[in-house]
């Protein structure tokens, strides 16, 4: 297929996935801000900016750090490239450019999403409407993956859509865990080892892993197990390992008979996640591990771009 | 009945009095349907069109502005015998036009015979780059849009031929799909000829004009991109044909061949259905600053390394200055008399014609020879004195740039407007496809001027579209429909018993 087409499909999927992740973090944070808690609101909303990696852009726009501003910035600010508005617009623009390459259902789904969003941004989402909005974003994202999965031919177009989804998801899960871990571990120590149930369960809920945790561990929520679940468990759909288990065969498939640097990098990371032990990761520092992961994932993204998506003669 | 319905031939009412035979059953149905219900159907159509993204971009409007072309739920019908006449005439015309194009880029016999003047070679749409170039099957206009208007029960005229990159066929197909969705019952009752196979015929034709020796040609559709006003149509057709929709940046030239950049490396391209004008095809030959085309494309094309549809240089044959000679072309190349008539046309490069036109401006329509889309024209009867005087100056300064035609009494068709159902002027653009053979699917794009009294149907000027029903039988009057329904009734009863 055309490199440009593959590029549009890959980024369309990344932007949709990004939207979902922003909505997840916003929703969970908003719900936490409603609970009586030791941590103050400012810290909570600051974390959201850290996870999205947009602290600088925010500071350039707003003087005060509060829920209203952060939500506004992350939902509808067109100056923020990570806002839901910007991501959805980019997703739809990418889709529009290659509507030929996708099924009618996929395209109509994208277009309806955009039109419905137009209705949402007219409302005040900073208050009660936020949760409903985030639910809508998540369900739309589910629908997007479902319609791709249910209607697309298992060809390259499908491969690049899936690749975009898992590359973005891996990045998001890693960032979320990194920021939360850095923030929650000192708190936990100060609390005399007592796990703050709500904080860690919020982390799990933000990646739909709360029920999975209980099923897998049948135990109180502990940071190390949360880390294991989100980094190493292959059966946990949003874990780093699960993402790479998807990415690897896709890269092998789209490379055909070629040897690509992208496939080598993905294989290397997959091996690390497949054979790694959580104790070793905790010993070496979770932050350190995730930092390296985020860099390696970005490098892989660049190689995918170079190997498949950029127009080279 | 309004004044205009008597003055103009109406597709449904004729000149008033009796409803025309083909519309009788529909008319009965229509008079039973409350107008609000029709309006609701139209609103439903708009929602669906917007969801599917059947929109066009408007040049000069803010980024991302996408508009719907208004869709009318009342069809325009054409009887089987009318269609037989029109389609035969359109095929004849396109055959002659293709022969004309081959001729003027080769032996130029029509010029030698004194039928078409030598000045045609100085027309800005004539491409000297095409002289002596052989195109597969001698097909130049692979897709032609022939604009037809009707002025009475028996009289159709060809308003113009579109041979460069005619558009609108996606509306023909989508309007049909929409009508079938909104009014399934009508399709059961009426023998409406299907049009859905258009992309299939187009693809077969495009494959048939690949260079000799290519057994499984790769066909692509070349578009200027997502911001072009017809992008929806480009995407739609590429998808329907299952071919790649490419932009200039996706193609490159190497070793006298055209390749596209794919995730698997370069892939050879054999046939390009291009929806980019000649001027933007190849910056090395035409506009050097254009980024839409492919550097080196024309050299490959001239050497037979790739087929372009439509061919380069077809514009000279659909130019309004050439239009007047088409009936003569048909006689010259085919030895037949033209089935479809031209609108009587004054060429202002001729002194007599110019004098007449300047004396009769308020009665005439004056068009710029190279204008398109309803721009740069004077509609005499609708123009103010001042507009006429301004246009007069433009004509006098460059008479050869203009042609003039009498104002035609364009037929009207019942149309749903704010005030209810009212007659509005329509035209018809069937699409003629040329490959190994010349053919057309039974239908076309019907455009309708939504403003009362307006004769301008272009979408850029606020015109709308309707579905075109070509009927497979002429006898679809009340009786046959009643008997059909009675037959259905009987079957049903038989089952119940």
């Amino acid at each position: 297929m055309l490199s440009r087409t593959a590029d549009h499909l890959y980024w369309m999927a990344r932007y949709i996935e990004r939207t979902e992740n922003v909505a997840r973090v916003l929703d969970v944070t908003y719900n936490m801000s409603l609970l009586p808690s030791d941590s103050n609101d400012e810290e909570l909303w600051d974390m959201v900016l850290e996870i999205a990696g947009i602290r600088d852009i925010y500071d350039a726009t707003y003087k005060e750090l509060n829920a209203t501003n952060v939500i506004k910035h992350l939902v509808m600010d067109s100056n923020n490239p990570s806002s839901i508005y910007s991501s959805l617009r980019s997703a739809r623009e990418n889709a529009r450019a290659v509507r030929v390459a996708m099924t009618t259902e996929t395209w109509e789904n994208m277009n309806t999403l955009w039109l419905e969003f137009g209705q949402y941004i007219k409302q005040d989402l900073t208050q009660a409407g936020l949760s409903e909005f985030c639910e809508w974003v998540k369900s739309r994202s589910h629908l997007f993956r479902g319609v791709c999965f249910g209607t697309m031919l298992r060809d390259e177009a499908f491969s690049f859509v899936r690749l975009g989804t898992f590359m973005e998801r891996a990045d998001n899960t890693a960032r979320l865990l990194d920021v939360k871990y850095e923030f929650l571990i000192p708190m936990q120590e100060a609390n005399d080892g007592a796990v703050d149930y709500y904080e860690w369960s919020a982390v799990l809920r933000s990646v739909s892993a709360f029920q999975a945790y209980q099923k897998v561990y049948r135990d109180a929520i502990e940071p190390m197990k949360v880390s294991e679940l989100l980094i190493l468990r292959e059966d946990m759909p949003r874990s780093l390992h699960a993402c790479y288990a998807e990415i690897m065969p896709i890269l092998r498939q789209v490379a055909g008979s070629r040897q690509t640097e992208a496939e080598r990098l993905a294989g290397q990371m997959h091996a690390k996640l497949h054979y790694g032990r959580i104790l070793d990761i905790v010993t070496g520092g979770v932050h350190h591990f995730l930092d390296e992961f985020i860099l390696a994932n970005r490098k892989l993204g660049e190689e995918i771009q170079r190997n498949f998506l950029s127009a080279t003669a | 009945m309004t004044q205009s319905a008597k003055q103009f031939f109406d597709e449904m009412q004729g000149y008033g009095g009796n409803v025309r035979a083909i519309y009788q059953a529909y008319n009965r149905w229509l008079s039973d349907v409350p107008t609000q219900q029709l309006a609701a159907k139209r609103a439903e159509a708009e929602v669906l069109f917007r969801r599917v993204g059947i929109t066009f971009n408007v040049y000069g409007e803010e980024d991302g502005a996408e508009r719907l072309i208004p869709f009318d739920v009342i069809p325009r019908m054409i009887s089987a015998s009318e269609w037989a006449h029109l389609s035969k005439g359109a095929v004849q015309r396109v055959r002659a036009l293709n022969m004309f194009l081959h001729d003027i880029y080769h032996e130029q016999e029509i010029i030698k015979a004194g039928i078409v003047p030598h000045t045609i070679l100085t027309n800005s749409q004539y491409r000297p780059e095409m002289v002596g170039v052989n195109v597969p099957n001698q097909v130049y206009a692979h897709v032609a849009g022939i604009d037809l208007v009707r002025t009475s029960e028996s009289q159709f005229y060809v308003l113009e031929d579109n041979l460069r990159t005619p558009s609108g066929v996606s509306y023909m197909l989508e309007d049909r799909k929409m009508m079938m969705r909104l009014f399934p019952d009508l399709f059961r009752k009426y023998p409406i000829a299907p049009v859905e196979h258009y992309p299939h015929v187009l693809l077969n034709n495009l494959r048939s004009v690949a260079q000799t020796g290519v057994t499984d040609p790769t066909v692509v559709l070349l578009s200027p991109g997502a911001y072009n006003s017809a992008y929806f149509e480009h995407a739609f057709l590429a998808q329907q044909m299952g071919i790649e929709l490419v932009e200039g940046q996706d193609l490159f030239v190497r070793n006298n061949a055209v390749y596209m950049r794919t995730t698997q490396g370069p892939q050879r391209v054999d046939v390009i259905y291009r929806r980019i004008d000649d001027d933007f095809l190849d910056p090395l030959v035409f506009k050097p600053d254009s980024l839409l085309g492919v550097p080196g494309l024309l050299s490959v094309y001239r050497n037979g390394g790739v087929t372009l549809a439509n061919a380069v240089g077809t514009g000279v044959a659909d130019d309004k200055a050439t239009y007047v000679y088409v009936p003569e072309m048909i006689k010259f190349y085919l030895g037949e008399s033209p089935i479809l008539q031209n609108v009587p046309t004054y060429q202002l490069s001729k002194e007599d014609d110019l004098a007449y036109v300047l004396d009769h401006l308020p009665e005439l329509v004056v068009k710029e020879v190279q204008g398109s889309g309803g721009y740069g024209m004077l509609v005499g009867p609708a123009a103010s004195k001042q507009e006429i005087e301004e246009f007069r100056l433009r004509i006098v300064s460059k008479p050869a740039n203009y042609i003039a035609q009498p104002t035609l009494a364009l037929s009207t068709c019942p149309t749903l407007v704010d005030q209810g159902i009212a007659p509005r002027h329509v035209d018809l653009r069937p699409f003629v496809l040329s490959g190994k053979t010349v053919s057309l699917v039974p239908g076309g794009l019907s455009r309708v001027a939504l403003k009362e009294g307006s004769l301008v149907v272009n979408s850029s000027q606020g015109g709308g579209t309707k579905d075109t029903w070509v009927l497979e039988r002429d006898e679809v009057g009340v009786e046959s429909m009643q008997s059909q329904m009675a037959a259905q009734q009987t079957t049903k009863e038989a089952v119940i018993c």
Side-chain angles (χ1 to χ4, degrees):
Chain A
M1 86 185 308
L2 286 180
S3 299
R4 183 175 54 82
T5 307
D7 186 66
H8 285 301
L9 291 169
Y10 172 82
W11 281 102
M12 168 185 75
R14 280 199 77 147
Y15 283 121
I16 290 289
E17 185 67 22
R18 190 171 297 177
T19 312
E20 180 183 339
N21 285 290
V22 170
R24 284 172 173 283
V25 172
L26 270 179
D27 193 22
V28 168
T29 307
Y30 181 69
N31 283 325
M32 281 190 68
S33 73
L34 302 177
L35 291 172
S37 155
D38 292 345
S39 60
N40 64 35
D41 260 19
E42 198 172 307
E43 274 176 330
L44 266 179
W45 292 106
D46 189 34
M47 256 191 297
V48 175
L49 297 176
E50 289 296 329
I51 293 166
I54 52 162
R55 194 63 222 253
D56 297 351
I57 306 168
Y58 181 89
D59 288 344
T61 319
Y62 301 94
K63 285 198 185 90
E64 213 181 312
L65 184 64
N66 58 38
T68 310
N69 285 350
V70 173
I71 292 168
K72 211 165 114 193
H73 190 54
L74 270 164
V75 174
M76 51 200 131
D77 197 337
S78 58
N79 295 321
N80 170 13
S82 303
S83 71
I84 290 178
Y85 172 85
S86 300
S87 293
L88 285 183
R89 191 186 50 192
S90 302
R92 197 241 180 191
E93 278 305 302
N94 276 286
R96 204 169 101 81
V98 291
R99 49 185 294 174
V100 180
M102 57 183 95
T103 55
T104 312
E105 286 95 332
T106 315
W107 159 250
E108 287 190 14
N109 184 57
M110 283 296 303
N111 210 28
T112 308
L113 164 74
W114 178 245
L115 296 173
E116 284 180 11
F117 179 65
Q119 296 304 309
Y120 267 112
I121 52 171
K122 289 180 192 150
Q123 302 167 16
D124 178 19
L125 293 170
T126 50
Q127 291 309 314
L130 184 69
S131 279
E132 191 202 318
F133 171 73
C134 291
E135 282 303 319
W136 173 80
V137 172
K138 280 191 274 179
S139 69
R140 269 289 162 190
S141 174
H142 294 319
L143 201 53
F144 166 78
R145 279 192 305 279
V147 80
C148 290
F149 206 85
T151 64
M152 286 181 79
L153 193 66
R154 295 303 186 259
D155 60 358
E156 278 191 285
F158 183 71
S159 296
F160 283 105
V161 168
R162 300 283 289 174
L163 192 58
T165 300
F166 294 112
M167 286 297 293
E168 183 68 22
R169 184 179 293 178
D171 179 67
N172 285 293
T173 300
R175 279 169 184 281
L176 172 83
L177 187 61
D178 192 23
V179 172
K180 291 286 183 182
Y181 203 89
E182 282 298 285
F183 176 75
L184 294 178
I185 290 294
M187 254 178 56
Q188 181 197 352
E189 280 158 3
N191 281 354
D192 204 17
V195 175
D196 188 327
Y197 173 83
Y198 290 107
E199 299 281 2
W200 281 108
S201 63
V203 174
L204 289 171
R205 283 182 211 279
S206 67
V207 289
S208 296
F210 183 71
Q211 286 164 311
Y213 185 95
Q214 289 171 324
K215 263 183 135 170
V216 171
Y217 298 103
R218 299 175 190 282
D219 196 359
I221 299 176
E222 291 173 25
M224 192 157 93
K225 285 178 179 154
V226 172
S227 303
E228 185 184 57
L229 188 68
L230 298 188
I231 296 173
L232 296 181
R233 290 289 298 209
E234 191 179 354
D235 51 2
M236 172 64 223
R238 308 192 82 85
S239 78
L240 307 186
H241 188 179
C243 291
Y244 269 72
E246 297 275 359
I247 289 167
M248 234 190 22
I250 294 174
L251 286 175
R252 189 174 308 143
Q253 201 187 356
V254 294
S257 55
R258 283 180 296 165
Q259 298 268 328
T260 61
E261 176 65 4
E263 195 186 338
R264 195 188 67 78
L265 288 178
Q268 204 174 31
M269 180 54 77
H270 181 255
K272 216 165 158 182
L273 295 165
H274 192 77
Y275 297 109
R277 285 189 305 197
I278 195 63
L279 203 60
D280 297 337
I281 291 173
V282 171
T283 311
V286 173
H287 173 67
H288 176 72
F289 180 87
L290 292 171
D291 224 24
E292 279 194 338
F293 175 87
I294 291 167
L295 280 177
N297 194 57
R298 184 187 301 163
K299 178 100 195 309
L300 174 59
E302 287 163 8
E303 283 302 322
I304 289 171
Q305 204 73 40
R306 210 172 62 80
N307 292 159
F308 304 103
L309 309 178
S310 300
T312 49
Chain B
M1 195 52 37
T2 61
Q3 194 83 46
S4 59
K6 287 175 196 157
Q7 208 177 327
F8 299 97
F9 178 78
D10 186 77
E11 299 291 335
M12 180 147 105
Q13 311 276 358
Y15 287 104
N18 289 334
V19 170
R20 295 176 65 223
I22 52 166
Y23 267 101
Q24 279 178 12
Y26 181 80
N27 184 47
R28 275 164 49 99
W29 174 87
L30 188 63
S31 44
D32 284 346
V33 180
T35 310
Q36 302 96 299
Q37 201 175 317
L38 285 180
K41 291 281 185 190
R42 182 179 60 191
E44 189 184 337
E46 273 180 21
V47 170
L48 290 167
F49 276 141
R50 194 165 294 280
R51 198 176 83 197
V52 179
I54 304 178
T55 52
F56 72 106
N57 300 341
V58 183
Y59 286 114
E61 291 201 357
E62 66 173 289
D63 168 65
E66 294 161 27
R67 278 212 220 147
L68 290 177
I69 292 187
F71 167 71
D72 185 56
V73 293
I74 301 175
R76 186 246 173 100
M77 290 188 209
I78 295 173
S79 73
S81 49
E82 282 166 358
W83 179 253
H85 171 73
L86 294 180
S87 60
K88 224 168 120 188
V91 167
Q92 178 193 53
R93 205 168 165 99
V94 170
R95 281 176 61 214
L97 284 164
N98 271 317
M99 291 171 83
F100 169 73
L101 282 159
H102 177 80
D103 187 26
I104 56 159
Y105 290 118
H106 291 83
E107 289 76 21
Q108 305 180 341
E109 275 164 6
I110 201 163
I111 297 174
K112 289 176 196 153
I115 293 167
V116 171
H118 196 267
T119 49
I120 194 112
L121 303 180
T122 58
N123 186 296
S124 69
Q125 294 301 310
Y126 184 75
R127 303 287 181 194
E129 296 87 356
M130 288 299 290
V131 171
V133 173
N134 289 315
V135 300
N137 293 346
Q138 300 190 1
V139 176
Y140 286 78
H142 304 81
V143 181
I146 307 296
D147 288 351
L148 299 167
V149 293
R150 176 180 224 171
T151 56
S152 71
E153 175 93 58
S154 56
Q155 187 63 60
F156 284 89
Y157 284 112
V158 175
L159 202 57
E160 68 181 54
D161 308 288
N162 298 281
L163 305 183
R164 298 173 216 189
T165 56
S167 63
V169 76
S170 54
Y171 292 94
M172 171 179 93
L173 297 168
E174 286 291 349
D175 285 358
R176 172 60 54 83
K177 214 156 77 185
M178 187 58 70
M179 288 295 277
M180 291 179 81
R181 179 165 180 163
L182 296 178
F183 306 105
D185 285 356
L186 288 173
F187 283 82
R188 263 204 300 279
K189 291 171 190 168
Y190 258 100
I192 302 160
V195 291
E196 293 83 351
H197 55 296
Y198 176 91
H200 175 76
V201 180
L202 176 58
L203 181 61
N204 274 344
N205 274 356
L206 291 171
R207 287 172 61 90
S208 78
V209 292
Q211 318 85 293
T212 38
V214 180
T215 49
D216 185 17
T218 298
V219 182
V220 299
L221 192 152
L222 175 61
S223 164
Y227 294 99
N228 184 268
S229 62
Y231 179 71
F232 160 70
E233 174 151 310
H234 306 162
F236 174 86
L237 284 174
Q239 186 172 44
Q240 295 287 308
M241 291 191 281
I243 62 175
E244 291 285 2
L245 175 65
V246 303
E247 295 175 19
Q249 51 174 311
D250 300 318
L251 300 178
F252 68 95
V253 161
R254 185 190 288 163
N255 303 331
N256 194 34
V258 180
Y259 293 88
M260 57 179 164
R261 303 172 210 274
T262 80
T263 54
Q264 304 294 328
Q267 186 187 336
R268 174 95 189 245
V269 170
D270 303 296
V271 180
I272 302 176
Y273 176 33
R274 50 92 171 217
R275 296 292 296 260
I276 292 182
D277 292 338
D278 284 358
D279 279 340
F280 302 96
L281 271 181
D282 182 348
L284 301 184
V285 182
F286 303 119
K287 289 199 167 159
D289 53 346
S290 164
L291 299 170
L292 299 176
V294 187
L297 177 61
L298 208 74
S299 137
V300 179
Y301 178 57
R302 283 161 46 92
N303 287 316
V306 70
T307 303
L308 293 178
N310 290 352
V312 174
T314 55
V316 68
D318 73 7
D319 195 273
K320 291 187 182 73
T322 313
Y323 163 84
V324 289
Y325 302 108
V326 177
E328 292 299 320
M329 283 176 204
I330 292 170
K331 289 179 201 150
F332 182 76
Y333 293 115
L334 304 173
E336 298 169 6
S337 47
I339 298 167
L340 295 174
Q341 305 303 311
N342 266 14
V343 180
T345 304
Y346 303 99
Q347 291 176 274
L348 307 200
S349 52
K350 294 182 179 166
E351 266 179 44
D352 290 358
D353 284 11
L354 177 64
Y356 176 85
V357 168
L358 290 176
D359 277 353
H360 294 84
L361 279 179
E363 303 153 29
L364 300 169
V365 177
V366 188
K367 294 176 183 172
E368 220 172 312
V369 170
Q370 278 147 30
S372 70
Y375 293 104
M377 63 191 276
L378 173 77
V379 181
S384 70
K385 271 198 172 146
Q386 196 192 341
E387 284 167 330
I388 289 177
E389 290 318 307
E390 280 170 17
F391 218 88
R392 184 189 302 279
L393 295 176
R394 286 165 63 183
I395 296 171
V396 172
S397 71
K398 276 192 170 173
N401 275 9
Y402 297 92
I403 55 150
Q405 294 168 335
T407 331
L408 298 178
L410 293 200
S411 66
T412 56
C413 185
T415 301
L416 182 65
V417 293
D418 292 344
Q419 300 80 17
I421 297 171
R424 289 289 182 270
H425 294 293
V426 286
D427 79 348
L428 171 67
R429 175 182 289 183
F431 295 87
V432 183
L433 297 174
S434 305
K436 282 212 168 88
T437 57
V438 183
S439 64
L440 62 176
V441 299
L445 173 66
S446 281
R447 296 184 297 181
V448 54
L450 293 172
K451 257 201 301 195
E452 188 173 0
S454 170
L455 296 169
V456 185
V457 295
N458 292 89
S459 56
S460 52
Q461 311 278 302
T465 69
K466 332 169 141 257
D467 192 14
T468 312
W469 290 3
V470 171
L471 304 181
E472 287 182 327
R473 295 189 306 276
D474 274 355
E475 301 76 26
V476 284
V478 186
E479 293 99 70
S480 76
M481 244 186 75
Q482 277 172 342
S483 62
Q484 261 185 39
M485 284 161 73
Q488 279 172 7
Q489 203 73 30
T490 324
T491 333
K492 219 169 168 187
E493 278 163 8
V495 174
I496 294 165
C497 296

